[in-house]
Amino acid sequence: MDTSSISNLAAPVSAPARTVFPQPANADQRALIQAVKAVSGSDLLGPDHELIVVLDRSTRRALVRIVSRQTGEVIQQIPAEYVVRMARELTEGTIQTLHG
């Protein structure tokens, strides 16, 4: 039995190692990042809290959160979680119309 063609499958395949870091696309995004860093670096929210901005994957909307630095717990979120849930349901078509 000829196994020469199978033995080549075990050979290591090298791919270029490249780490891709997303870069802000425009000046508005860079300004937002700097503003979030400035607020988080100040004591405006208190020494135990920080401001973060995340993108909700299902709605593709930005969420602004105040988070505990110690526990990671979300203290406050804008828009509120129930609003995000409604937006998800709307995008999935699960909310029935109010007018029948």
Side-chain angles (χ1 to χ4, degrees):
M1 170 156 79
D2 181 17
T3 60
S4 61
S5 61
I6 295 174
S7 64
N8 288 338
L9 294 176
V13 177
S14 64
R18 187 178 83 181
T19 305
V20 178
F21 296 102
Q23 296 296 317
N26 58 42
D28 289 339
Q29 289 175 338
R30 287 190 297 274
L32 175 62
I33 290 168
Q34 290 303 318
V36 168
K37 285 181 180 180
V39 170
S40 289
S42 73
D43 280 336
L44 185 63
L45 301 173
D48 297 331
H49 298 113
E50 67 181 326
L51 183 71
I52 62 170
V53 177
V54 297
L55 181 67
D56 182 85
R57 290 182 179 182
S58 62
T59 62
R60 309 277 301 154
R61 305 258 182 212
L63 306 175
V64 178
R65 294 178 177 162
I66 298 173
V67 178
S68 167
R69 290 178 197 246
Q70 295 174 356
T71 65
E73 174 189 5
V74 176
I75 308 299
Q76 188 172 9
Q77 175 178 296
I78 302 169
E81 183 59 35
Y82 75 91
V83 174
V84 175
R85 252 191 327 269
M86 288 185 348
R88 285 183 191 134
E89 290 173 1
L90 280 171
T91 58
E92 295 169 0
T94 57
I95 291 183
Q96 296 186 13
T97 60
L98 297 174
H99 302 292

